[in-house]
Each structure stands twice: as structure tokens, then as C-alpha cells.
Amino acid sequence: MRDDVLKLDGLSAGYGKVLVLRDISFRVSEGSVVGIIGPNGHGKTTLLNTICGFVSASSGTIELDGGHLTGLAPHQVAARGVVHIPQGDLIFPDLSIYENLLMGAYLEPDGAVQARRLASVFAMFPKLEERQAQMASTLSGGERRMLGIGRGLMRESRIMLIDEPSLGLAPIVVEQIYDTLKELKSQGRTIVLVEENPSRVVDFADEIFLIDNGEIVWSGQASEMEENENILETYLGG
Amino acid sequence: MTVLDSVLQILVSGITLGGMYAVSAIGLALLWGVMGMLNMAHGSLIAIGAYASVFAVGYLGGTWYLGLPAAMIVGCLAGVLLYFATARWMVGSGQFEMNIIIATVGVAIVVKSLLIIGFTGYPQRQPFALEGGIYLGNVLVPYQTMLIVCVAIILMMALSWLLKATRMGRAIRATAQSQKAAALMGIPAERIYLQVMVIAGVLAAISGVLISSTANTSPSLGEVTMLKVFIICVVAGLGNIPGTILISFALAVLEAAIQYALSAKWAFPLLLGIAVMILIWRPYGLFGAARIRKV
Ligand SMILES: Nc1ncnc2c1ncn2[C@@H]1O[C@H](COP(=O)(O)OP(=O)(O)O)[C@@H](O)[C@H]1O
Ligand SMILES: [Mg+2]
């Protein structure tokens, strides 16, 4: 058994009095990729936002490497080693690409380490290097996504939470993004990946959780998912 | 006096005013741009700075130029105190922008009372001042004008360096653009708010020294200035620092021209009128976009 990096236990959360997530429990073990799929508006983003501290849990616990994340502010969760690459990228539009990447290394004050990470991000996304002096607001949708991922790679992480990396991108760009994600997986990183569209996740994730109406309604290996086509049909309309 | 002399005269007083306004306005713009804070106690910071210099030189007997570092130290402390008296308890609250206005109005009232108790209400001379000047043709350019312009330029360059080239400055700009994204990077909003309030406190305090050096130091010094500086910020587009600097000088030269052509008492009403017209034409100011804050 590999150690659990992330452990959710009976987690419920929502906005105001409206509960969006109900009794979510799962574990993510070191070096594994967990895929979370489910229809639009059913709580996938809320789940990641609860883990990273944007949304506070109304009950249940979140543990990272055995320590509590529940109740911590987002910057504290980040400091524990959670890298969240959010839906919609949340890049800094009026900072240059280079500065955006440096912000990703805010918690990594060692200049030599920063430089090494920057070099490896540039190797992964040569376009970002070419345009490093430009304002981030000048990037296309695909380049923004690359910047969002690159920024997340600028510091050490215990786990990466990636929210809908294929959202709104042309198929060929989605291909590129997934090539990158596969590279991250092969580096042995622990990843929680959220997607509405299950097709990509199935051959990328080790384990899959299907969220419907804020609850986990099915979980299993990716291979089992293909066998259970009726699950997809029931919850995702085929 | 030739036309050239008149123009020169207007430029000299305009640039002096502009330098003082810019230093003061940047502090206000920074707070709005980074944290959505309309600091109604900005005038207090201005007055505190002026009195810090008066106290250090006039009461403690320091050399005249020690007034400036004294104002910087006190402005820094005032920024810290203002943070712990107000923003510290409101970060992340839903009505931050409204709550902070109310809280800082309260602070302004308290500070003015304390200044009157400590220094009386009578105007006092600002010791941070140079006598004399040089003649450019028929126009006297006072050394004090040069001093003010130098201080203003050095401060603006220092701030620009701080925001552009340091880790702290980058984090401040990042927080201004997206507090959420900044939090994901591990940046605590509270730390940034404190830093920005200290910067604003120091800038406002220095502007208080400069402004009182051309007039007098009195407990209501900050109020008049704050009104003008607020107009500058609104005309520029709240929160936009480069725009704020430009408008500081533009409106100051305009003010000097009105004073020269008409009289001092016309300057403020006319400026207000011009500001209102600009805002009717461009409701978010000349350099402002709707709800976008830029640092
Ligand atoms: N900031 C918010 N305030 C209130 N309700 C929200 C907020 N964000 C999301 N919701 C609601 O929570 C539910 C789940 O949304 P979300 O987690 O974004 O779903 P998904 O990521 O699966 O598409 C939706 O009904 C959505 O309207
Ligand atoms: Mg979502």
C-alpha cells in the first residue's frame, strides 16, 4: 500500500445555506491520478475549491499527509503543498508571462531553484518562453491554460488539483495539454483531475469518481468504467 | 512680464503643486487599486506627517532636513496602526469597501482631535523648507520648489522600482489583479494589505511635509489636500497609478493657471467643475475602466 496523500472524510460543503457537496469521502495515494467526472453544475469545482480553502467545509475533514487542511485559509493550504490550477485559469492579466510564473514560485524564495523550475516550464511550453515579456492578457485560450499549468509547476507540490484543463479549447490544443499532463503523471506526481467530459479521463486516471448532484455515485478503476457503459449513460447522457 | 514669463511662472507653481499632489495621490490610488479601500483617513496621514516634521525639528531641535525621515518613520507607524485599527478586522468581509470608509472616517475624527490637543489649532511653520531661489529671466524659481520636485521624483521612482522589481511589489500587483489567484500562490492578503497601508502612510506623510512647507501646518491641512487629491484620483480613474501621476501634474498646472489668471479663490471651484465635466464624459475617469483596478 502506498501512503495516502489526500484524504477526504464525510465532506459536505456549499454556499450559504445551500449544500452543494454531501458526504464526500475518498483517498488519493502517492503518485496516483484520480479523475473526478460529473455533469456541469454538480459540484466538481466546489469540491476542489473546498480542498484549497476557497469554500469552507460545513462538516467532514480534509487531510493532507495526515495533517488537517479543514478550516485553513487558501494561502495556508497552498503553503502545505497543494497546487490548485483552477477552472478559468485565474492568471494575472496585467503581469507579464514571466512575472506570472514568478508568482507561482512565491513560496519558493531560493533563486536557483526558481531558475531551474522556470527552465523546465519553458522546456515544456516553448511558447511561454518566446513571449515571456508580454502581458498575460495577450495570450490565447490555450496559451493561458499552459501558463496556468506552468505557474502551478513553479513550486514544490504534494498534490496538484487540476480543474477542467480541456474546457473551451480546440481539440488539437486539448491534445497538447493532455500530453503535458501525461508527462506530469510519468514524473510520479499525485494529481486530482476534474473533467466534465469523461473520454480523456478514462485513459489517463488510475481511479475515477463520478459525482452527481454533489455525491459520489460511482467509483472504480478506469477500465471498469468502460465495462459499465450504462453508468455513463445514466449520469452523463451517454 | 512677458507672456513667456507668465507661462514659466505658471509652470513653476504648477509643477510644485503637481509634485506634492502626485506623492499624496499615489497613496490613495494604491489603497484603492490593491484593496478597494477608500481611505477617508488619508488627510490624517498627511497632517500626521507634517506634524512629525514640526515636532522633530521645532520641538526636539533637529536639523531642518531631519523632518523628512521623521515623517517617514511616523507615516510608517501610522500605516501599521491604521491597518490594525481598521482593515485587519475586515479583510474578506462582504462589505469591505463600505466598512472601511466608515472606519476610516472615525479614525480621521480621532486623529484631528489628537492633533489639536497635542499641537493646538494654530498654524505652525513647516521647518522642512529652503529660503531663496534662482531667477530664470524674471521668474523666481525657489529652492523649495526644486526640493519638492526632487523629493517627488525620487519617491515615484522608488515606488515604481518597488512595485516592478521586488518580490513584494510583484505580490502587491498580483493581489490587486486577483486576490483569489494570489491566495492560490500562497500570498496572504492580510500581509499585502499591511504592506500597502505602510507604503501609503509613508507617501502621505511625506506629502504632508511638502504641502505644509508651501503653506502652514495646521490640523485641517490634510482635509483640503485630500479633497483635491481625491478629485485627481477620480479624474484619473481610481486606482490607476501612472494615470494618477499624470493627472496630478495636469490639474496642478491648471490650478496654477487659474490662480495666476483669476485668483486663488477660483481655483478650487473651477477644478471641481472641470472634474465633474470629465466624469460626465468618462464616468470611470480618463484612464479607468469599469471596475478594473490597475497598479
Ligand atoms: N460562488 C458560488 N456561489 C453560489 N453558488 C455557487 C457558487 N459557485 C457554484 N455554485 C453552485 O454550486 C453548484 C455546483 O457548481 P460547481 O461546483 O461549479 O459545479 P461543476 O464544477 O461541477 O460544474 C452549482 O449549482 C452552482 O450554481
Ligand atoms: Mg466546474
Side-chain angles (χ1 to χ4, degrees):
Chain A
M1 262 308 280
R2 289 176 297 182
D3 288 340
D4 289 331
V5 176
L6 184 71
K7 192 170 131 197
L8 303 194
D9 218 340
L11 184 71
S12 298
Y15 305 93
K17 291 197 179 81
V18 186
L19 218 53
V20 174
L21 298 174
R22 288 181 203 86
D23 197 25
I24 303 268
S25 302
F26 66 81
R27 287 146 191 258
V28 184
S29 60
E30 178 112 46
S32 72
V33 173
V34 162
I36 299 199
I37 57 174
N40 200 4
H42 281 231
K44 304 183 297 301
T45 296
T46 303
L47 175 59
L48 296 195
N49 283 347
T50 309
I51 297 171
C52 85
F54 280 151
V55 176
S56 48
S58 44
S59 62
T61 56
I62 308 165
E63 282 177 31
L64 185 83
D65 293 322
H68 268 286
L69 294 186
T70 338
L72 295 186
H75 71 268
Q76 295 169 317
V77 175
R80 305 282 160 102
V82 175
V83 163
H84 182 191
I85 297 169
Q87 184 174 327
D89 303 317
L90 284 185
I91 56 169
F92 302 107
D94 293 325
L95 294 190
S96 72
I97 288 156
Y98 171 70
E99 288 175 322
N100 264 273
L101 291 172
L102 278 191
M103 290 320 302
Y106 182 79
L107 292 171
E108 175 61 80
D110 184 336
V113 179
Q114 276 186 16
R116 199 162 1 101
R117 289 180 185 271
L118 191 66
S120 77
V121 168
F122 281 157
M124 209 173 252
F125 304 113
K127 257 190 197 151
L128 295 183
E129 182 166 25
E130 282 164 32
R131 308 200 175 176
Q132 54 176 305
Q134 284 179 24
M135 289 293 135
S137 57
T138 63
L139 293 178
S140 71
E143 290 159 350
R144 262 166 207 255
R145 192 68 37 87
M146 292 171 192
L147 180 57
I149 296 172
R151 191 180 61 178
L153 293 171
M154 286 296 293
R155 70 178 155 94
E156 184 76 48
S157 65
R158 288 293 296 144
I159 191 165
M160 300 184 79
L161 314 174
I162 310 179
D163 200 347
E164 303 231 31
S166 66
L167 189 72
L169 299 184
I172 182 161
V173 186
V174 174
E175 204 70 47
Q176 284 176 338
I177 296 286
Y178 266 85
D179 284 346
T180 308
L181 296 182
K182 279 174 188 148
E183 196 178 326
L184 298 182
K185 182 183 178 180
S186 72
Q187 292 169 357
R189 290 174 190 267
T190 312
I191 298 174
V192 175
L193 175 74
V194 160
E195 281 280 14
E196 185 191 345
N197 180 348
S199 61
R200 297 266 163 196
V201 186
V202 167
D203 47 85
F204 178 61
D206 302 310
E207 200 178 5
I208 287 178
F209 292 88
L210 175 60
I211 286 199
D212 185 77
N213 215 354
E215 286 176 282
I216 295 178
V217 290
W218 183 85
S219 69
Q221 306 295 305
S223 52
E224 296 174 75
M225 181 130 204
E226 282 163 341
E227 292 159 19
N228 287 282
E229 276 184 16
N230 58 335
I231 297 168
L232 292 181
E233 274 166 35
T234 314
Y235 292 106
L236 300 167
Chain B
M1 291 283 269
T2 64
V3 176
L4 188 67
D5 287 338
S6 308
V7 170
L8 206 58
Q9 180 65 59
I10 289 170
L11 279 181
V12 167
S13 12
I15 289 172
T16 315
L17 283 174
M20 302 185 306
Y21 292 165
V23 172
S24 193
I26 292 169
L28 203 62
L30 197 63
L31 287 179
W32 175 263
V34 175
M35 49 200 274
M37 169 173 177
L38 189 50
N39 181 16
M40 299 300 287
H42 189 69
S44 312
L45 297 172
I46 294 172
I48 286 172
Y51 277 106
S53 170
V54 167
F55 186 74
V57 180
Y59 288 53
L60 298 182
T63 321
W64 68 275
Y65 55 79
L66 288 180
L68 202 64
M72 291 172 78
I73 293 166
V74 172
C76 171
L77 290 177
V80 173
L81 283 178
L82 186 60
Y83 170 78
F84 282 104
T86 61
R88 167 70 180 79
W89 316 104
M90 300 166 188
V91 178
S93 80
Q95 280 93 42
F96 180 82
E97 294 182 8
M98 196 60 221
N99 290 343
I100 200 83
I101 290 175
I102 296 166
T104 49
V105 166
V107 169
I109 294 168
V110 172
V111 169
K112 188 174 178 186
S113 312
L114 290 177
L115 286 178
I116 292 174
I117 294 168
F119 294 95
T120 76
Y122 294 107
Q124 305 192 34
R125 201 185 71 84
Q126 173 55 255
F128 187 79
L130 293 174
E131 305 290 327
I134 51 167
Y135 277 93
L136 274 184
N138 294 319
V139 179
L140 176 71
V141 184
Y143 290 130
Q144 183 62 16
T145 288
M146 297 179 219
L147 181 64
I148 287 172
V149 171
C150 283
V151 171
I153 289 174
I154 290 170
L155 285 176
M156 282 182 267
M157 281 171 24
L159 182 72
S160 163
W161 170 81
L162 183 84
L163 289 177
K164 292 228 160 72
T166 68
R167 175 170 180 264
M168 173 172 135
R170 269 193 299 272
I172 289 174
R173 284 187 295 142
T175 303
Q177 288 170 37
S178 169
Q179 198 166 308
K180 249 183 118 173
L184 287 183
M185 304 299 110
I187 303 169
E190 290 88 343
R191 182 193 300 166
I192 300 295
Y193 283 17
L194 175 59
Q195 289 168 344
V196 171
M197 287 178 83
V198 166
I199 295 171
V202 171
L203 289 175
I206 294 174
S207 80
V209 176
L210 302 183
I211 291 162
S212 58
S213 76
T214 62
N216 268 317
T217 312
S218 76
S220 55
L221 166 79
E223 292 163 21
V224 188
T225 314
M226 184 178 159
L227 216 53
K228 282 187 191 162
V229 167
F230 185 67
I231 291 173
I232 288 168
C233 286
V234 172
V235 167
L238 267 170
N240 182 311
I241 288 177
T244 300
I245 294 174
L246 195 70
I247 296 296
S248 295
F249 283 97
L251 286 189
V253 170
L254 201 63
E255 180 179 342
I258 296 168
Q259 282 182 3
Y260 186 86
L262 302 167
S263 79
K265 72 170 191 268
W266 281 103
F268 191 69
L270 274 177
L271 276 187
L272 200 60
I274 290 166
V276 168
M277 279 183 320
I278 290 176
L279 290 178
I280 289 171
W281 171 47
R282 302 214 21 169
Y284 296 104
L286 291 176
F287 304 98
R291 298 295 310 160
I292 291 179
R293 310 196 202 118
K294 189 166 187 164
V295 177

